[in-house]
């Protein structure tokens, strides 16, 4: 790391740490300290709230960074159970207050939408959660005498191969748009709150490209020959059957030719666990053999 930082010289002002769960890295505080000591700004793709300690937030602020993106992962506590995340709404509200109090004035909260079993009730709970976070944010900013911006980011779930939701259909574009409209209507007039929504149409295309089989090449040929117009290529090659198909346990999936290294049935069992909103303990890499990768 030292060599890398020295090698970068003054050309890079910001060092971004990227990974599925960067804050779980045991040496993260030492690494963050080193980056800060070199006068670089620390940046993260997205952070898990429960791992944001006092020390780490201080280092982030010392580095000059005043913007953080934190994942709440799912709109409601029930949906967080479905994806095996433990954060409660109270915890999220308190953590956001803590971050604002510390001086993180630009806070972005990110969640997925369109998860299995999600209903309008989950969206209403998300709206209530955002209202509570915003109240806390404004209160803490008042005490500081400064204010920035709170941003809510929502992205539609794209069921990806090699994940427990690979069997699950994407939520319909129409239904996702309805949910976004519900959120926009409820939160649109709240001050200091910005909203950013992922495009359901883009998610539809992504899901097709993720779950498509060899017939995807016909779509690509049309797309490449029509000036890269995905919408009209999709009209010529209807793909609902790939995007909205519910696969069953014994179905042969187009990507089954790829060995991801999981033990047999692990992903299916995890999918079933999610559908029951049941928890599994956080894995300890020293002893865990749950998925078969270690
Ligand atoms: S075996 Fe356990 S620790 Fe290793 S990757 Fe799988 S879940 Fe994580």
């Amino acid at each position: 790391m030292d060599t890398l930082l020295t090698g970068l010289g003054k050309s890079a002002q910001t060092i971004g740490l990227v990974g599925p769960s960067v804050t779980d890295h045991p040496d993260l505080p030492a690494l963050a300290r080193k980056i800060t000591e070199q006068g670089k700004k620390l940046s993260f793709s997205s952070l898990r709230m429960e791992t944001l300690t006092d020390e780490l937030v201080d280092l982030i602020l010392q580095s000059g960074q005043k913007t953080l993106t934190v994942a709440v992962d799912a709109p409601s506590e029930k949906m967080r159970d479905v994806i095996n995340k433990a954060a409660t709404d109270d915890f999220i509200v308190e953590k956001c207050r803590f971050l604002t109090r510390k001086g993180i004035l630009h806070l972005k909260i990110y969640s997925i939408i369109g998860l299995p079993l999600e209903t309008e009730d989950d969206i209403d709970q998300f709206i209530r959660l955002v209202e509570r976070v915003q109240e806390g944010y404004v209160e803490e900013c008042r005490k500081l005498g400064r204010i920035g911006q709170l941003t809510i980011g929502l992205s539609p779930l794209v069921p990806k191969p090699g994940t427990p939701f690979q069997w699950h259909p994407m939520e319909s574009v129409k239904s996702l748009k309805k949910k976004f409209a519900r959120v926009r209507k409820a939160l649109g007039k709240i001050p200091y709150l910005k909203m950013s929504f992922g495009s359901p149409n883009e998610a539809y295309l992504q899901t097709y490209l993720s779950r498509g089989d060899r017939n995807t090449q016909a779509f690509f040929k049309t797309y490449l020959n029509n000036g890269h117009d995905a919408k009209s290529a999709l009209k010529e090659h209807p793909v609902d059957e790939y995007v909205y198909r519910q696969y069953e346990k014994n179905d042969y999936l187009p990507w089954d030719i790829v060995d991801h290294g999981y033990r047999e049935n692990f992903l299916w069992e995890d999918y079933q666990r999610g559908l029951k909103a049941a928890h599994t303990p956080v894995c300890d890499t020293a002893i865990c053999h749950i998925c078969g990768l270690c």
Side-chain angles (χ1 to χ4, degrees):
M1 186 68 198
D2 283 332
T3 327
L4 183 69
L5 283 171
T6 317
L8 283 172
K10 290 204 170 112
S11 61
Q13 293 306 309
T14 304
I15 305 289
L17 300 177
V18 184
S21 192
V22 177
T23 38
D24 282 335
H25 195 290
D27 294 329
L28 183 68
L31 194 61
R33 213 170 301 119
K34 228 164 230 168
I35 294 170
T36 311
E37 280 163 8
Q38 299 269 337
K40 312 271 185 210
K41 208 183 254 190
L42 257 177
S43 171
F44 299 91
S45 46
S46 162
L47 293 161
R48 280 180 44 218
M49 291 205 175
E50 54 273 39
T51 50
L52 277 169
T53 58
D54 235 342
E55 186 193 10
L56 185 59
V57 178
D58 282 341
L59 283 166
I60 291 169
L61 284 163
Q62 267 169 39
S63 82
Q65 183 65 269
K66 293 211 165 30
T67 303
L68 267 195
T69 301
V70 283
V72 301
D73 299 306
S76 67
E77 290 181 4
K78 187 184 100 198
M79 285 299 106
R80 268 168 242 134
D81 287 342
V82 167
I83 55 169
N84 207 27
K85 304 281 178 182
T88 62
D89 284 359
D90 287 348
F91 175 82
I92 292 166
V93 171
E94 214 20 72
K95 202 70 176 183
C96 288
R97 263 187 184 272
F98 158 78
L99 291 171
T100 316
R101 199 158 50 231
K102 294 289 279 182
I104 302 287
L105 294 181
H106 299 281
L107 194 57
K108 181 167 180 181
I109 295 169
Y110 165 82
S111 176
I112 294 172
I113 200 163
L115 287 157
L117 310 180
E118 191 180 280
T119 64
E120 291 195 345
D121 194 38
D122 297 295
I123 304 306
D124 289 341
Q125 284 180 47
F126 180 70
I127 290 167
R128 182 66 201 124
L129 171 66
V130 174
E131 286 168 347
R132 290 178 63 201
V133 167
Q134 193 270 356
E135 276 163 27
Y137 171 77
V138 173
E139 256 178 57
E140 295 300 333
C141 283
R142 265 200 199 112
K143 288 182 207 159
L144 291 173
R146 287 169 293 151
I147 197 151
Q149 188 158 59
L150 182 65
T151 305
I152 306 299
L154 285 175
S155 297
L157 174 78
V158 173
K160 292 265 172 67
T163 73
F165 294 147
Q166 63 181 0
W167 291 272
H168 204 82
M170 181 188 141
E171 180 160 340
S172 77
V173 168
K174 195 173 161 198
S175 164
L176 284 165
K177 284 184 176 170
K178 220 171 126 195
K179 284 181 176 174
F180 284 152
R182 195 180 181 91
V183 173
R184 202 176 281 120
K185 191 171 170 207
L187 300 174
K189 294 209 171 93
I190 294 194
Y192 310 110
L193 183 75
K194 190 177 154 199
M195 285 178 277
S196 109
F197 299 133
S199 155
N201 288 326
E202 270 177 29
Y204 178 90
L205 184 59
Q206 275 186 42
T207 302
Y208 170 53
L209 297 181
S210 301
R211 304 177 101 203
D213 59 16
R214 68 192 71 177
N215 292 318
T216 317
Q217 66 163 317
F219 164 84
F220 267 115
K221 269 189 191 159
T222 309
Y223 172 77
L224 292 171
N225 291 327
N226 75 0
H228 297 185
D229 181 348
K231 204 171 161 190
S232 99
L234 284 172
K235 264 191 199 138
E236 225 173 288
H237 305 275
V239 301
D240 274 8
E241 62 173 306
Y242 295 100
V243 177
Y244 296 141
R245 177 167 170 185
Q246 168 72 64
Y247 283 108
E248 301 304 329
K249 185 182 180 192
N250 293 323
D251 283 340
Y252 188 76
L253 306 174
W255 51 91
D256 274 348
I257 50 163
V258 179
D259 180 4
H260 288 97
Y262 299 118
R263 72 169 168 76
E264 208 185 332
N265 289 334
F266 166 72
L267 289 179
W268 177 261
E269 286 161 17
D270 207 34
Y271 176 42
Q272 299 308 303
R273 179 210 53 75
L275 294 180
K276 289 188 202 114
H279 271 284
T280 51
V282 176
C283 58
D284 175 347
T285 47
I287 49 165
C288 174
H289 300 290
I290 293 176
C291 80
L293 286 179
C294 292

